[in-house]
Amino acid sequence: MVDEIAVLCCAGRVELFLGVLSGVALLAVLVLALVLRGSRRRIAAQQSAQEQQAQSHADQLRGLALQHADAISDERSRTDAYEAVTHRAMGWDAASRDMILDVCEDLGIDGVLLTNIVFVPTDAKPFHRYAAQIDHVLVMGASILLVESKRWNGVVFDGINPASAHPSFRRLLATPPNGPFALQIVPDSSEQLIVRAYPNQSSLAPAAQARRQAARLHHYLAAAHGSVPHVDTCVFYSHPDAEVFARPQDTAGNVSTFIAAGYDGLRRVLRQYKPTPSSHGSPHPAVLDTLMAIAADAIELSATPAGFEPDSGDGSILEEHDDHVPGLTIREIRGVPDWFSNPRHHE
């Protein structure tokens, strides 16, 4: 009896142990299932995050590619526009360039004539970049002369009160402002004249334009090469049909600008030209290389002996002018229309 009880007790213990073991195993299976389920969720979440990151990266790359393509397209458009402006400007400047060459050959000037210089000034902001355009630069030894060419026809007053030419202008035109200025009277039709005003305040006065461009060019060259010679300025009225009333130099402010009208006027300026004193000496060859790199045209001038005949005439600045033209009326324009009125064309 005792043995049977002992056997039963052992069997009960074994059965209890197996039950506990089965419960532990079941618990382990449940825990493992939960762990695996959580792991799968984490893996799925990581994969989803990686896919989202990859998609976001791909979207960024596509956006950058589109921005790059747009930037290239914009740059090409700007380049095409600059080339178009350069081509047109070269056409405008060809006549004045040829006249400058003739005068230099006549006077036996040695140097380099550069035409249609285009560059981005040092003061241009990244978000507002623009190109400066200079008609001509004449490099002669230790001097740099910027020539602002104006192919204006009609009657031009540069720095001279029109009333000085004839009293009737006092009744027709307003008193010119202080500082550099210019007035152009040009036929608009057989019955009408146009008066174009170029005051200093609007920076359209030719002498003011030349000085501003000279300052930009000097800063541009100085930024690349350090100290460079002073850049002198000259306004050249090159149209053969222009009647120009002007002083030999515009001396408004602390800087002088030479004023030349036609072939004879330019010849007089270059004959008498003396560079502004400078401690920088002759332009370094690298400076000339920089100028040639940004110029549409560069011509080397060879010195040839030439005699200097005295200037003809009595040196009078103001010549007789017949202001009486029957049947004409004068229309005054405040500001200048079309190409002249857009400041971007003068940058």
Side-chain angles (χ1 to χ4, degrees), residues 206-247:
Q209 287 185 44
R211 293 169 188 172
R212 182 176 69 251
Q213 298 290 52
R216 287 172 174 168
L217 181 62
H218 186 272
H219 293 156
Y220 179 84
L221 295 176
H225 304 287
S227 297
V228 293
H230 178 81
V231 179
D232 293 311
T233 54
C234 173
V235 174
F236 177 37
Y237 293 99
S238 59
H239 200 289
D241 297 330
E243 184 78 15
V244 180
F245 297 89
R247 295 183 176 87

Side-chain angles (χ1 to χ4, degrees), residues 36-307:
L36 292 175
R37 184 179 180 183
S39 178
R40 284 195 297 268
R41 287 181 176 177
R42 285 194 299 272
I43 293 174
Q46 291 175 357
Q47 289 178 344
S48 177
Q50 290 175 353
E51 290 175 356
Q52 291 179 357
Q53 185 177 7
Q55 184 63 38
S56 176
H57 184 64
D59 293 340
Q60 291 179 357
L61 289 178
R62 280 194 295 270
L64 291 174
L66 291 175
Q67 291 179 7
H68 183 63
D70 291 341
I72 292 177
S73 178
D74 291 344
E75 188 64 28
R76 286 176 179 172
S77 298
R78 284 193 293 269
T79 301
D80 292 342
Y82 289 153
E83 289 179 352
V85 170
T86 299
H87 179 73
R88 290 196 302 270
M90 192 63 212
W92 300 331
D93 296 332
S96 56
R97 178 202 60 185
D98 293 343
M99 194 175 296
I100 296 172
L101 288 174
D102 289 343
V103 173
C104 290
E105 182 180 356
D106 180 24
L107 297 179
I109 291 177
D110 187 12
V112 178
L113 175 64
L114 303 110
T115 298
N116 196 18
I117 298 95
V118 180
F119 62 97
V120 177
T122 56
D123 62 350
K125 306 299 181 183
F127 51 85
H128 179 60
R129 299 179 69 84
Y130 62 93
Q133 189 274 335
I134 297 173
D135 297 333
H136 309 283
V137 169
L138 186 57
V139 179
M140 301 172 289
S143 65
I144 299 177
L145 178 64
L146 181 149
V147 180
E148 176 74 16
S149 175
K150 296 299 181 185
R151 199 161 178 80
W152 295 356
N153 62 343
V155 180
V156 177
F157 297 91
D158 188 312
I160 286 184
N161 190 334
S164 301
H166 198 281
S168 61
F169 282 113
R170 184 179 293 110
R171 298 181 181 275
L172 298 176
L173 303 173
T175 302
N178 295 325
F181 72 91
L183 292 173
Q184 180 191 17
I185 304 175
V186 61
D188 182 41
S189 66
S190 61
E191 298 178 351
Q192 193 173 51
L193 293 175
I194 291 179
V195 177
R196 290 176 176 143
Y198 303 85
N200 182 39
Q201 290 82 352
S202 63
S203 299
L204 293 178
Q209 287 185 44
R211 293 169 188 172
R212 182 176 69 251
Q213 298 290 52
R216 287 172 174 168
L217 181 62
H218 186 272
H219 293 156
Y220 179 84
L221 295 176
H225 304 287
S227 297
V228 293
H230 178 81
V231 179
D232 293 311
T233 54
C234 173
V235 174
F236 177 37
Y237 293 99
S238 59
H239 200 289
D241 297 330
E243 184 78 15
V244 180
F245 297 89
R247 295 183 176 87
Q249 294 187 50
D250 184 293
T251 57
N254 299 324
V255 182
S256 296
T257 298
F258 299 101
I259 308 296
Y263 182 94
D264 293 336
L266 182 62
R267 186 177 186 276
R268 183 180 302 112
V269 166
L270 294 183
R271 275 192 61 197
Q272 301 173 352
Y273 170 61
K274 294 181 180 179
T276 300
S278 175
S279 60
H280 305 306
S282 301
H284 191 274
V287 174
L288 185 56
D289 290 341
T290 298
L291 288 171
M292 295 180 68
I294 58 178
D297 181 71
I299 299 177
E300 184 176 358
L301 308 172
S302 299
T304 56

